[in-house]
Amino acid sequence: MPTPLSERCLWPQTSAETPLDYPALASHEEVDVCVVGGGITGLSTALHLAEKGIKTALLEAGDIPSGGSGRNVGLVNAGLWIPPDDIVAALGKENGERVNTVLGGAPSKVFNIIERHAIQCDATRTGTLHLGHNTKGCQELARRRDQLQNRGAPVTLIEGEACERMTGTSQIHAALLDKRAGTINPCAYTQGLARAAAKLGATLYCHSAVTGIERQGDRWRVLTQNGSVTANRVVMATNAYTEDDWNQVRQHFFTGHYYQLASEPLTGDAADAILPEKQGAWDTRTVLSSIRRDKAGRLLLGSLGKGEGKPLSYLTRWADTIQNHYFPALGNVRWEYTWTGKVAFTPDHTLRIFEPAPGILSATGYNGRGVTTGTVVGEGFAHYIANGDDSLLPLPLSQPKPIRARPLWSCAYESGFSLYHAGQCLRVLI
């Protein structure tokens, strides 16, 4: 049977949040804060500013959402991608432990916002599972468990038969359960943030790409093709979708990608055995594979790398290989959706929060943890603007050096991901 696979993102198709139309900027506005970027970071900033009664305008180049905020896996994870001791090694003890503490509490911030504003995003709070795919991977999970438990995190290493029951596969012998975490439909979450921010008084503009920023006395003028916004403060929340050379955020990350495939809705005993408690999961492979189910029972598989531009038959072959390895009892699966999002990487896998010029705030380098990090950074920016206190941010504001040879970093990562996936398709790396 021909594959029904098409290149479109699943999440907007299944979002229970009604997408709202926001106008394009076509005049001059005067506000306290202008936020550039309508993803999770920008919308969280606008929402928390609006809660404080601070007059805010947000400018988004496309629709809400159009970037990675609506295209990611939808994992509400605690912390960063790397273990807490590695974070301390990269950032120093004080800043490293600050990141561990603030981002360790980030999932609860997300779920509190969802509850407070009645965001319909299919949220689950049963945790996430980090899957040990081989002996070395299981050893790494034990190391992470020890580091996290030493910091009071509610994590448990599940092994043996209990692990097989929780994951639905005999190929995983240990899984690290983080009870702080969960899953969402990220598009619906982003749409809900926009709805809540607008309801509280923030003014949102879509199809209003910023063409430049210029100093105007002690304020900033943010320019678009058909209008402008003058503000005391500007928050640059463009992250991995920063494209313009004038935007200094671009100098502080290199671009990576993440692709996903979603099956048709699955039913029956074999399907019900996969992640029966609805945790999101990812494995310890060199180039990880993510695994989760959606509210309709679809199986979602994803991995680092760019799916756009690759033949659909190649993507299907990769998904079939991973599915047959982990869940052979499913038999043949029909894949319906595939899509790719961008990721802002940094060489040390930690984020950057900085002030490129007086009155301008920026953040980037979430390294695949955008749902929680973006939410917390937005709250932290709003608190800093209102109170002059950066304590709610994962890191203090700094002046990091630009990343050198960013295109080479991107090329090296993408080449490595593609070679690894080719090996998986050939069953060399399974």
Side-chain angles (χ1 to χ4, degrees), residues 123-207:
T124 71
R125 297 197 68 172
T126 55
T128 54
L129 292 167
H130 197 175
L131 312 177
H133 80 290
N134 59 14
T135 300
K136 183 178 179 181
C138 293
Q139 292 170 347
E140 168 62 17
L141 294 183
R143 183 172 79 95
R144 287 177 180 254
R145 174 203 57 196
D146 293 344
Q147 293 179 22
L148 289 165
Q149 288 183 347
N150 286 341
R151 292 169 171 85
V155 298
T156 305
L157 192 62
I158 313 296
E159 300 179 274
E161 292 182 4
C163 178
E164 185 170 347
R165 286 194 302 272
M166 183 167 281
T167 61
T169 176
S170 61
Q171 297 294 334
I172 297 296
H173 301 292
L176 187 63
L177 172 64
D178 189 336
K179 298 178 182 178
R180 299 170 294 181
T183 66
I184 56 172
N185 175 325
C187 175
Y189 176 62
T190 307
Q191 291 170 330
L193 288 175
R195 170 178 57 78
K199 183 177 180 180
L200 288 170
T203 305
L204 276 53
Y205 295 102
C206 286
H207 303 285

Side-chain angles (χ1 to χ4, degrees), residues 16 24 28 39 89 150 160 193 196 201 236 242 304 365 367 372 408 426:
H28 177 71
N150 286 341
L193 288 175
M236 300 301 300
T242 306
L304 293 159
N367 291 276
T372 41
L408 293 179
L426 295 171

Side-chain angles (χ1 to χ4, degrees), residues 126-412:
T126 55
T128 54
L129 292 167
H130 197 175
L131 312 177
H133 80 290
N134 59 14
T135 300
K136 183 178 179 181
C138 293
Q139 292 170 347
E140 168 62 17
L141 294 183
R143 183 172 79 95
R144 287 177 180 254
R145 174 203 57 196
D146 293 344
Q147 293 179 22
L148 289 165
Q149 288 183 347
N150 286 341
R151 292 169 171 85
V155 298
T156 305
L157 192 62
I158 313 296
E159 300 179 274
E161 292 182 4
C163 178
E164 185 170 347
R165 286 194 302 272
M166 183 167 281
T167 61
T169 176
S170 61
Q171 297 294 334
I172 297 296
H173 301 292
L176 187 63
L177 172 64
D178 189 336
K179 298 178 182 178
R180 299 170 294 181
T183 66
I184 56 172
N185 175 325
C187 175
Y189 176 62
T190 307
Q191 291 170 330
L193 288 175
R195 170 178 57 78
K199 183 177 180 180
L200 288 170
T203 305
L204 276 53
Y205 295 102
C206 286
H207 303 285
S208 302
V210 174
T211 58
I213 299 178
E214 59 186 29
R215 193 72 169 169
Q216 197 168 65
D218 60 351
R219 308 185 78 200
W220 290 97
R221 188 181 184 202
V222 183
L223 307 172
T224 70
Q225 185 174 0
N226 297 309
S228 64
V229 176
T230 298
N232 300 324
R233 298 287 189 94
V234 177
V235 175
M236 300 301 300
T238 48
N239 201 20
Y241 287 76
T242 306
E243 297 180 353
D244 299 301
D245 289 334
W246 58 263
N247 189 339
Q248 292 188 34
V249 174
R250 190 176 182 182
Q251 302 174 17
H252 294 279
F253 73 92
F254 60 93
T255 304
H257 297 84
Y258 198 94
Y259 70 84
Q260 296 180 74
L261 288 89
S263 74
E264 63 184 352
L266 303 175
T267 59
D269 292 344
D272 292 345
I274 299 171
L275 300 171
E277 297 180 18
K278 301 299 185 288
Q279 287 93 358
W282 71 101
D283 60 28
T284 54
R285 295 177 183 278
T286 303
V287 179
L288 65 86
S289 298
S290 61
I291 306 166
R292 63 163 295 191
R293 309 287 302 280
D294 78 343
K295 66 177 181 180
R298 293 179 179 87
L299 176 65
L300 280 71
L301 301 178
S303 190
L304 293 159
K306 192 173 185 179
E308 295 172 349
K310 289 185 171 68
L312 295 182
S313 58
Y314 172 88
L315 296 174
T316 301
R317 174 67 180 272
W318 175 84
D320 286 343
T321 301
I322 300 301
Q323 175 253 308
N324 286 321
H325 176 71
Y326 282 134
F327 313 112
L330 283 178
N332 294 328
V333 170
R334 296 179 64 194
W335 303 100
E336 290 188 332
Y337 298 86
T338 183
W339 66 98
T340 298
K342 293 182 181 179
V343 181
F345 285 120
T346 55
D348 63 359
H349 308 300
T350 64
L351 75 161
R352 296 181 170 207
I353 303 175
F354 55 103
E355 195 168 12
I360 298 180
L361 302 175
S362 305
T364 191
Y366 297 169
N367 291 276
R369 293 295 176 100
V371 172
T372 41
T373 307
T375 300
V376 167
V377 167
E379 181 189 26
F381 278 160
H383 184 77
Y384 176 71
I385 290 168
N387 302 292
D389 173 16
D390 69 2
S391 62
L392 296 187
L393 289 165
L395 283 170
L397 290 163
S398 64
Q399 296 295 331
K401 294 181 180 179
I403 296 172
R404 295 183 178 181
R406 291 179 298 105
L408 293 179
W409 278 100
S410 295
C411 182

